Amino acid sequence: MNQTTKKYFLVLVLVLAGGLIHLPLTAQNSLLRYAEKQYGLENYSHAATLYAEAYERRERYTTAIMAANTYQNLQDYDNAFKWWKTVVGHEESTKEDYSNYLKSALRMDEDFNPQELLAGSPYSEFNFPELDFNKIRELKKKKSNVKLVSLKEINSTASDYSVTVDQEDTKYFTSNRGGVYQSEKPSVRLDAKNSLFSEEKSDFNDMDYFGLYRYSADGEITKMSSDVSGALQYADPSLMESKNILFYTVFRNIRKVKKKRDFTVQPEIYFSKITDSGELIDSKPFPINNFSEYGVMTPFVDEEAKRIYFASDKPGGFGGFDLYYVTYNDQMNFGEPVNLGSEINTVEDETHPSRIGNSFYFSSKGLTGLGGMDIFKAEYQDGKVNKTENMGLPYNSSRDDFAFYISPKGKRYISSDRSGGIGMDDIYLLEDLHKRLIARIIDCDGNVISEEFESTLTEKNSNTRIPTSRNEKAELLADLDPEKDFNLSISKKGHFSIQDNELSTIGLEEDFLEKEYRLAAIPYNMAVYVDIVYYDLDKSLIRKDAIPTLDKIASLMQQYEFIDLLVGSHTDARASKEYNDALSQRRADAVSEYLSKYNIPKARVRLDWYGEEKHVNDCGDGMPCPETEHQLNRRSELVLEAFSDKNKNYELPKEFMGRDVCDPTDLFEALNAEINDVPTIYFDFDKSNLRSVHKKELERVSLLLQRLVNLQLNITGHTDQRGDEAYNMKLSERRAKTVMDYLTNKGIDPKRLKNEWLGKTQPIHDCNTADCTEAMHQLNRRTELQLKNNK
């Protein structure tokens, strides 16, 4: 049962008027007068029994009200509800009685319909605006992704609440686990010292007084002692760990106050040094204390902001206990109290403040809640607190929920007297039920993909498949267990599959794990490398000059499993069409057979043959051509294609990691620098016509540009240094144009060819400063080619 605000403490009413007040012990003194006496002394446990007995003797409306109030003060909500139900059964019952009846029903664990409770009365739920039932219904629907786990190592059959934790995981908490005292006799004691209270137990509920306890990391629980003079009750610990100081609430046994005859002792805050053995020494009072005028309690130390938050019913507040703070410095000097304002405080009680980061937490009886005291969260910005919201289920229940606290290691705790606990109040650890995965699967334009795709989510090292779903935004959703690793795969026909093996909730403090994945279309049949091998007349044997090319292709296919080979074989026009068709097939087969010695599967080599259909020049049937031109037609064009199987979904190769998967040219560049090269075209002295050997090279460049449409070619003409500058500039222009014309005649778009000439200005060998051999002059007579990305 929760002992929040004043109910945590024995209110010591000291009547210093002359003469002892003798308790009614004779038959002529009424039972009710005795019950009222106990109620006035806040001995609610005994008073409740007496009122119930008095009502049994005579059913009076006023007696039922007192019984209901007594059980309500005890936070015995089950009995309070029963008695308020009895109250509204009397004809004298008022609207206020019905309001209390509805409030007590809210504190029951079961759901209820206010209209059913009000049936037969002159009221409806709309007559009680202080009870916002629509808001309450919303709160009951507001459930968080957490579960409550009882701290069984701490909780007892008594009351345990308000935990604080240090860096070593030592826990400090409040408890009254000492035992229960019989109430057969009045708990108020008359003795020679004229004390109207019990020093052995709390008159509030006949249990031991609350004290501070320490739970060490090795599992030992010890009761802490304090040097605060006259203290009966201790509660609500809060650490200032940097100074090894503990702040806490104290209720002291004070019998006399100068110039006051009747007064009520109020709770105070003290702070003390903590010894290794758990003693509280060098205790000092909080400067805001004023035990005879108002209460000060439930401190929270905010070391980051250098503030002490606390609750107080000091004059000038909004009513009940309000939340305040004072600042402090390193010398433990405190500022003036600042009220947190109407965003937080109400006419009723607000207590148990705490803050971490941009969030401020507290408990309230005055804000709309689920029953008793509820936990609320507010925004903390620039030292100000606003935008309060009820934290909903399961943080709150129909009972009292309070003392929300987050430890230095991020563990969250609350205290509650909800049903199902071990004792009257219990401390609970909040654990996430799951973390919510929200994955945005976007296309190359950044739009979330709304079409269907396959997703497989499993816990790492387990075959257990975790269900996924998609929300109205088409985002992928899943519930993940905390502190686990996961594997996620996403696939869609025609797109690179996604594999995330680093998905993890380990160390994740937020409730959500948000991810974004780009699902990019596979650039099927993307050419990444081309070359050509040539054959002798009427032959299909692989020539020696073809071996380096085929060896390189085999090496690339072994290195990149996503690359396959397309072979297109041809003949010249000499011989019949049928014969040439068969010959071109044998030439394609020869390539496949050669690669088989490298264990390249035949399934990765696609063979096409065209006979004499596709000449690269005009050497058709009956056309006179030199042998060098016929040679250009006797060939196998070799094209390495990435992602050649359009029925297969490929994973993104590791070679493309970090590249823009939505840009095929960027993917090509990941391989191009390594496997593609282009020739330098050399010329005879004072000439610009192509040599036969370079026609083969330009055939390859032409095929490269035809298949790799994302590339452009820079063509730069040069000369040697013999001759004047003007002549050589024109000669280099003709040499560059020769190459460009050859390629445009092959169907290459001139826009993809950048043509320039530099004359003799950039020689390989500077023959003006040294004698050059003819071979050195030859290297200067050139046209250089360079591939560039079209981006």
Side-chain angles (χ1 to χ4, degrees):
M1 184 180 302
N2 179 24
Q3 310 289 320
T4 56
T5 67
K6 286 187 181 180
K7 71 186 178 194
Y8 292 123
F9 309 104
L10 169 66
V11 178
L12 308 176
V13 180
L14 302 183
V15 181
L16 300 179
L20 297 178
I21 301 175
H22 295 281
L23 295 177
L25 301 175
T26 62
Q28 60 264 35
N29 293 322
S30 73
L31 186 62
L32 277 177
R33 287 178 59 83
Y34 186 39
E36 290 167 2
K37 185 75 157 180
Q38 299 305 305
Y39 186 92
L41 294 172
E42 298 194 7
N43 184 7
Y44 296 129
S45 179
H46 194 45
T49 302
L50 295 172
Y51 281 124
E53 185 179 341
Y55 189 83
E56 187 177 348
R57 294 184 182 182
R58 183 180 178 186
E59 297 181 355
R60 297 173 62 183
Y61 164 69
T62 54
T63 305
I65 288 179
M66 291 306 298
N69 281 324
T70 305
Y71 279 112
Q72 189 164 291
N73 288 337
L74 278 170
Q75 308 296 10
D76 184 346
Y77 294 130
D78 291 336
N79 279 314
F81 174 71
K82 292 176 184 177
W83 280 104
W84 282 118
K85 186 176 182 180
T86 301
V87 169
V88 298
H90 285 267
E91 291 183 0
E92 304 98 312
S93 61
T94 65
K95 181 182 175 185
E96 182 181 357
D97 295 331
Y98 274 95
S99 178
N100 286 323
Y101 176 44
L102 292 174
K103 288 177 182 178
S104 67
L106 276 175
R107 293 180 171 94
M108 300 291 288
D109 288 325
E110 59 196 52
D111 290 333
F112 76 98
N113 185 333
Q115 291 301 110
E116 291 180 1
L117 294 181
L118 295 171
S121 76
Y123 308 110
S124 72
E125 66 176 83
F126 305 106
N127 294 116
F128 304 94
E130 70 275 15
L131 299 173
D132 189 344
F133 287 103
N134 287 331
K135 178 66 174 178
I136 292 169
R137 293 183 185 103
E138 289 179 14
L139 290 175
K140 289 186 175 182
K141 295 178 182 178
K142 180 182 178 182
K143 296 182 179 180
S144 299
N145 174 37
V146 294
K147 65 179 179 179
L148 272 62
V149 179
S150 175
L151 286 187
K152 294 182 179 179
E153 65 272 25
I154 286 180
N155 290 328
S156 67
T157 56
S159 287
D160 306 279
Y161 64 89
S162 289
V163 68
T164 189
V165 186
D166 66 18
Q167 295 285 354
E168 303 301 321
D169 212 29
T170 300
K171 298 177 177 67
Y172 302 85
F173 64 98
T174 307
S175 180
N176 64 343
R177 58 187 60 207
V180 179
Y181 296 79
Q182 296 296 323
S183 292
E184 296 175 358
K185 295 182 179 180
S187 59
V188 176
R189 247 180 28 173
L190 292 177
D191 57 28
K193 295 180 181 178
N194 196 26
S195 303
L196 295 176
F197 60 87
S198 169
E199 294 182 349
E200 298 173 352
K201 65 180 178 65
S202 169
D203 295 343
F204 185 86
N205 59 7
D206 289 334
M207 296 193 70
D208 195 12
Y209 287 116
F210 286 102
L212 298 179
Y213 288 77
R214 183 169 71 168
Y215 178 82
S216 64
D218 58 8
E220 182 182 2
I221 296 179
T222 55
K223 187 172 185 179
M224 305 178 74
S225 63
S226 170
D227 60 0
V228 176
S229 177
L232 292 177
Q233 207 154 242
Y234 307 88
D236 310 313
S238 182
L239 277 167
M240 183 182 287
E241 192 163 4
S242 64
K243 294 181 178 293
N244 195 35
I245 288 176
L246 190 71
F247 281 69
Y248 50 95
T249 307
V250 171
F251 209 105
R252 293 190 293 149
N253 171 7
I254 300 174
R255 302 166 187 250
K256 292 182 180 180
V257 176
K258 189 176 181 180
K259 296 183 180 180
K260 285 196 176 184
R261 293 177 62 83
D262 298 338
F263 62 93
T264 299
V265 177
Q266 302 284 352
E268 303 168 277
I269 292 174
Y270 274 72
F271 56 97
S272 310
K273 285 280 188 180
I274 309 172
T275 68
D276 292 340
S277 60
E279 294 177 299
L280 299 173
I281 63 171
D282 298 333
S283 301
K284 295 180 177 58
F286 196 46
I288 314 302
N289 293 345
N290 191 335
F291 68 85
S292 66
E293 298 293 335
Y294 54 81
V296 184
M297 62 183 191
T298 64
F300 175 77
V301 180
D302 183 349
E303 293 202 69
E304 181 184 43
K306 285 192 173 295
R307 290 180 174 183
I308 308 295
Y309 291 95
F310 60 93
S312 176
D313 60 351
K314 66 192 300 292
F318 292 88
F321 276 79
D322 282 7
L323 293 180
Y324 294 80
Y325 74 84
V326 296
T327 58
Y328 69 91
N329 59 23
D330 291 338
Q331 289 72 44
M332 299 300 287
N333 298 313
F334 299 92
E336 292 298 315
V338 178
N339 190 295
L340 289 185
S342 59
E343 284 277 344
I344 301 295
N345 295 313
T346 68
V347 296
E348 297 199 42
D349 295 335
E350 280 70 46
T351 61
H352 299 93
S354 67
R355 182 187 78 86
I356 185 167
N358 294 327
S359 297
F360 183 85
Y361 303 92
F362 65 101
S363 295
S364 175
K365 284 185 174 180
L367 297 170
T368 300
L370 293 174
M373 179 171 281
D374 276 18
I375 299 170
F376 291 80
K377 178 182 179 180
E379 289 185 7
Y380 178 91
Q381 294 288 344
D382 300 323
K384 296 181 179 179
V385 181
N386 52 38
K387 296 183 180 178
T388 298
E389 64 171 331
N390 189 299
M391 293 187 72
L393 300 172
Y395 298 92
N396 294 313
S397 67
S398 60
R399 301 299 182 97
D400 283 332
D401 307 283
F402 56 101
F404 182 92
Y405 170 74
I406 301 179
S407 76
K409 295 182 180 179
K411 292 186 177 182
R412 295 159 294 174
Y413 300 90
I414 66 167
S415 300
S416 177
D417 69 343
R418 65 187 62 196
S419 63
I422 296 174
M424 289 182 288
D425 288 294
D426 288 311
I427 300 170
Y428 294 90
L429 175 67
L430 291 160
E431 292 184 353
D432 291 319
L433 287 172
H434 55 256
K435 301 292 187 179
R436 189 69 160 169
L437 171 66
I438 304 177
R440 300 178 72 251
I441 317 302
I442 61 173
D443 60 21
C444 287
D445 294 322
N447 301 314
V448 176
I449 293 175
S450 58
E451 298 89 353
E452 291 296 320
F453 55 77
E454 295 291 328
S455 62
T456 303
L457 178 63
T458 58
E459 185 180 324
K460 192 168 285 188
N461 303 320
S462 168
N463 293 324
T464 305
R465 185 164 178 170
I466 300 169
T468 60
S469 62
R470 298 177 73 183
N471 61 14
E472 68 280 358
K473 298 179 182 178
E475 296 167 325
L476 184 69
L477 307 177
D479 293 334
L480 306 178
D481 287 340
E483 302 301 313
K484 296 287 182 65
D485 293 319
F486 305 88
N487 297 322
L488 173 65
S489 65
I490 299 169
S491 60
K492 185 177 188 295
K493 185 174 177 57
H495 294 71
F496 284 119
S497 59
I498 296 168
Q499 187 69 38
D500 186 355
N501 297 323
E502 304 298 326
L503 198 65
S504 179
T505 57
I506 294 177
L508 180 66
E509 295 184 4
E510 295 78 11
D511 290 338
F512 299 95
L513 176 59
E514 296 184 283
K515 303 288 286 186
E516 184 173 271
Y517 303 99
R518 184 164 300 211
L519 202 55
I522 299 172
Y524 286 113
N525 303 115
M526 182 179 78
V528 296
Y529 177 78
V530 302
D531 213 331
I532 302 173
V533 295
Y534 292 93
Y535 301 86
D536 292 335
L537 176 65
D538 198 25
K539 295 290 189 294
S540 59
L541 294 175
I542 301 299
R543 297 192 325 201
K544 288 184 178 181
D545 62 357
I547 288 176
T549 296
L550 293 177
D551 287 347
K552 181 176 183 178
I553 285 175
S555 175
L556 292 171
M557 294 181 73
Q558 289 175 327
Q559 184 177 355
Y560 304 110
E561 293 184 355
F562 58 90
I563 289 178
D564 296 331
L565 177 64
L566 173 61
V567 180
S569 295
H570 307 264
T571 68
D572 60 24
R574 295 176 290 185
S576 68
K577 180 180 182 304
E578 291 76 12
Y579 183 85
N580 284 333
D581 285 344
L583 178 59
S584 64
Q585 181 179 359
R586 291 195 298 275
R587 287 173 174 171
D589 289 339
V591 172
S592 180
E593 288 299 324
Y594 184 89
L595 295 176
S596 66
K597 73 178 185 178
Y598 288 97
N599 296 318
I600 303 298
K602 291 186 181 296
R604 293 183 62 194
V605 182
R606 192 167 85 249
L607 304 178
D608 290 327
W609 50 90
Y610 302 96
E612 59 185 73
E613 293 178 11
K614 297 185 176 182
H615 296 157
V616 297
N617 50 36
D618 294 330
C619 296
D621 285 337
M623 294 294 297
C625 282
E627 180 58 27
T628 54
E629 295 297 308
H630 284 301
Q631 175 66 93
L632 295 178
N633 290 325
R634 297 193 303 269
R635 70 199 190 278
S636 283
E637 297 175 345
L638 310 175
V639 181
L640 283 175
E641 294 181 331
F643 322 116
S644 62
D645 187 351
K646 292 187 177 181
N647 294 315
K648 180 178 178 181
N649 279 355
Y650 293 86
E651 288 187 15
L652 186 69
K654 66 180 184 301
E655 291 79 11
F656 295 163
M657 296 298 180
R659 295 281 183 167
D660 185 354
V661 295
C662 292
D663 184 359
T665 61
D666 200 43
L667 300 183
F668 169 79
E669 280 189 347
L671 300 176
N672 178 46
E674 179 181 350
I675 66 176
N676 275 296
D677 54 10
V678 289
T680 297
I681 309 301
Y682 294 97
F683 296 87
D684 294 334
F685 178 69
D686 199 25
K687 295 291 189 294
S688 60
N689 56 300
L690 286 174
R691 297 172 178 172
S692 297
V693 66
H694 291 317
K695 288 184 179 181
K696 288 183 180 180
E697 294 174 333
L698 289 179
E699 285 296 322
R700 175 177 174 269
V701 173
S702 171
L703 179 62
L704 186 70
L705 292 172
Q706 289 170 18
R707 290 304 310 267
L708 305 178
V709 295
N710 52 294
L711 298 180
Q712 72 173 26
L713 184 69
N714 292 348
I715 304 170
T716 306
H718 303 268
T719 68
D720 61 25
Q721 293 171 294
R722 293 175 291 185
D724 64 50
E725 186 171 335
Y727 181 84
N728 281 329
M729 190 63 71
K730 290 292 186 181
L731 178 58
S732 65
E733 179 182 2
R734 293 194 299 274
R735 288 173 176 171
K737 188 174 185 301
T738 295
V739 173
M740 185 170 182
D741 288 346
Y742 191 93
L743 295 174
T744 55
N745 288 336
K746 298 296 178 180
I748 306 302
D749 186 347
K751 293 179 181 178
R752 296 175 60 197
L753 306 175
K754 181 180 178 182
N755 200 13
E756 63 177 339
W757 46 93
L758 301 175
K760 61 179 181 179
T761 61
Q762 293 188 9
I764 300 297
H765 298 286
D766 187 356
C767 298
N768 290 331
T769 59
D771 293 335
C772 287
T773 64
E774 182 55 34
M776 296 168 70
H777 286 301
Q778 174 65 91
L779 293 176
N780 289 337
R781 298 193 301 270
R782 71 201 187 279
T783 292
E784 295 175 335
L785 307 181
Q786 186 179 21
L787 290 171
K788 291 290 186 181
N789 196 316
N790 252 338
K791 286 196 297 184

